[in-house]
Amino acid sequence: MEHSKKINFILPFPTKRPNGGPKVMYTYANLLAEKGYEIQIYHSLNTSYTKYKKPYFLRAILHKLRKTSRPKWFKLNPNIKSFNVKRVTDAYISNADFIISTWWATALEVDRLSDEKGKKINLIQDYENWKGHEELLLKSYGLPKTTNIVIATYLYEIVNPKSVKKTYTLFNAIDNNVFYIKNGIEKRLPSILMLYSNEKRKGTSYGMDALLKIKEKHPSVTISMFGTPIKPHNFPEIFNYYSQPKNLPEIYNSHAIFLTTSIQEGFALPPCEALSCGCALVATNIGGHKDYLINNETGLAIEPKNVNDVFEKIELLLNDDAYRIEIANKGNRYFSVNFSWKKNIEQLEKIFNEI
């Protein structure tokens, strides 16, 4: 196809800190821009059904001063135009061939735009029911002019029965020029890494409780966490903490095991980054992990909210280094073979041609 095609990306907010959903949107925008597509990104400052603490005029000024229309934490292709707009209406969005939104409220707003704004695509990155409005969330899956793309198999099973058009699946991937094995899997000392988050659905507290038990029984094991918040005041002194680290690939590479105790995920990126960097994965057996977590093969599956299960599975890897190395190698191979941005872009271009 000729690559003068215009594509609008619509996000429900500008992001000041690293965030998985926007990161996926920005990655697609960059990859399409590299292929010669004309890309425009719009961040809405007034998304429907969202409560704001400050009035719009004040938020608009602050966002302008902070230049949040281009995220500081993600390097957008310089050819991409990126804006913050008052709201998602025809007045603020320019004409295009395709318009890709994420988040259910944004999809409902895009549905009301004129056809000139582009053929409508909703990239569904999670079952976004944690702020209520479940009826509207489900309504967003059945819009007659919108093509749904999901990022995980469990989401396909939820969305496809409600879709009017054909539903497509594009699994997330990661940049393997950034996340890859630099430090041999066999050489790694007993060490565990986990993402720290204040979001309840990430289940951080269950992981921390298990890791405290591990540290008590195995004092020589290094335990580290990283996250976007600054170090919490009650954070255990015996753990390392990295706030918004710039050297994340090196941190993954210096740990033997990656733990995630999430209760709900869309298609979690940190476990994928960890697999690509050679960590043995211990992860909850939830939908958002299942596309790359095969129990006793690519990682060890744990029950959500079960601290003892987390403790036991980590001990299996600490007590048997050969097993830890085998799990890490299999996980790394499986992810690198089955998930790639290159494949995703080829698939996305096929979708453009089909819809």
Side-chain angles (χ1 to χ4, degrees):
M1 77 193 295
E2 79 286 359
H3 291 331
S4 58
K5 286 206 182 308
K6 284 178 96 168
I7 303 175
N8 288 331
F9 281 83
I10 312 289
L11 279 81
F13 47 79
T15 54
K16 292 182 285 247
R17 291 176 170 187
N19 184 316
K23 185 180 184 179
V24 168
M25 293 287 271
Y26 295 147
T27 302
Y28 276 121
N30 269 2
L31 292 167
L32 289 167
E34 276 168 34
K35 295 202 84 168
Y37 290 87
E38 200 179 317
I39 306 295
Q40 301 195 114
I41 299 173
Y42 298 89
H43 307 88
S44 175
L45 297 183
N46 283 302
T47 297
S48 309
Y49 311 103
T50 301
K51 293 189 178 94
Y52 296 99
K53 289 173 186 161
K54 297 185 182 86
Y56 165 70
F57 77 92
L58 190 56
R59 287 186 292 110
I61 292 166
L62 288 171
H63 281 294
K64 194 167 186 176
L65 290 172
R66 291 171 182 159
K67 299 181 174 150
T68 59
S69 60
R70 292 190 90 82
K72 288 185 175 68
W73 56 270
F74 189 97
K75 198 175 176 187
L76 278 178
N77 183 306
N79 295 327
I80 292 174
K81 293 175 182 162
S82 189
F83 315 94
N84 291 340
V85 291
K86 188 173 183 179
R87 57 175 55 89
V88 178
T89 60
D90 281 342
Y92 296 102
I93 311 294
S94 68
N95 294 350
D97 297 287
F98 300 97
I99 184 162
I100 305 174
S101 64
T102 196
W103 186 253
W104 63 267
T106 320
L108 292 172
E109 291 172 339
V110 167
D111 178 56
R112 293 193 285 272
L113 297 178
S114 72
D115 292 347
E116 284 73 43
K117 305 303 170 188
K119 288 182 178 175
K120 294 163 178 144
I121 296 171
N122 181 14
L123 183 66
I124 299 164
Q125 302 197 58
D126 207 335
Y127 187 63
E128 302 152 339
N129 64 342
W130 52 88
K131 287 187 180 170
H133 305 295
E134 197 143 9
E135 199 180 309
L136 289 164
L137 166 66
L138 295 173
K139 185 187 171 187
S140 74
Y141 298 158
L143 301 170
K145 289 183 176 178
T146 299
T147 297
N148 292 323
I149 299 176
V150 298
I151 63 163
T153 304
Y154 87 97
L155 287 170
Y156 181 89
E157 287 158 8
I158 295 169
V159 172
N160 188 52
K162 310 237 176 327
S163 295
V164 176
K165 293 172 168 278
K166 179 181 172 181
T167 307
Y168 296 87
T169 306
L170 283 182
F171 297 121
N172 281 347
I174 51 109
D175 185 346
N176 53 14
N177 295 314
V178 176
F179 298 100
Y180 59 91
I181 296 171
K182 296 176 187 172
N183 175 31
I185 288 171
E186 315 73 34
K187 296 181 199 159
R188 302 187 189 188
L189 299 171
S191 49
I192 305 157
L193 179 66
M194 179 175 144
L195 174 73
Y196 179 91
S197 174
N198 295 320
E199 284 183 65
K200 270 212 165 118
R201 63 198 193 94
K202 300 285 186 184
T204 301
S205 62
Y206 303 101
M208 288 184 82
D209 288 349
L211 292 173
L212 286 165
K213 282 179 74 176
I214 288 284
K215 190 73 176 166
E216 200 178 320
K217 192 169 171 188
H218 305 268
S220 63
V221 173
T222 301
I223 294 174
S224 310
M225 300 181 92
F226 69 95
T228 52
I230 55 166
K231 186 174 175 178
H233 67 277
N234 58 348
F235 192 80
E237 287 297 313
I238 48 175
F239 295 175
N240 302 318
Y241 187 74
Y242 305 94
S243 176
Q244 298 189 41
K246 299 274 187 287
N247 60 334
L248 194 49
E250 284 71 26
I251 294 171
Y252 286 126
N253 266 277
S254 64
H255 289 80
I257 298 164
F258 185 82
L259 170 66
T260 171
T261 48
S262 290
I263 299 156
Q264 186 191 350
E265 287 281 1
F267 184 109
L269 290 174
C272 305
E273 294 166 351
L275 284 173
S276 298
C277 291
C279 297
L281 179 62
V282 178
T284 39
N285 59 352
I286 58 168
H289 296 144
K290 278 191 174 164
D291 288 308
Y292 49 80
L293 176 65
I294 303 163
N295 193 27
N296 297 324
E297 285 283 325
T298 63
L300 300 187
I302 47 177
E303 288 297 318
K305 305 183 183 180
N306 187 332
V307 172
N308 286 335
D309 197 24
V310 179
F311 176 80
E312 285 164 17
K313 296 290 163 60
I314 288 174
E315 269 215 313
L316 284 177
L317 298 175
L318 290 175
N319 294 335
D320 187 344
D321 210 40
Y323 185 50
R324 189 264 307 170
I325 292 164
E326 182 193 339
I327 290 285
N329 274 315
K330 281 183 179 171
N332 176 268
R333 273 198 303 273
Y334 185 83
F335 194 83
S336 60
V337 167
N338 290 289
F339 304 90
S340 89
W341 285 121
K342 187 176 177 292
K343 276 201 284 199
N344 284 12
I345 286 298
E346 286 165 8
Q347 233 179 313
L348 187 55
E349 288 191 296
K350 275 187 192 160
I351 294 168
F352 290 161
N353 286 326
E354 280 181 28
I355 62 176

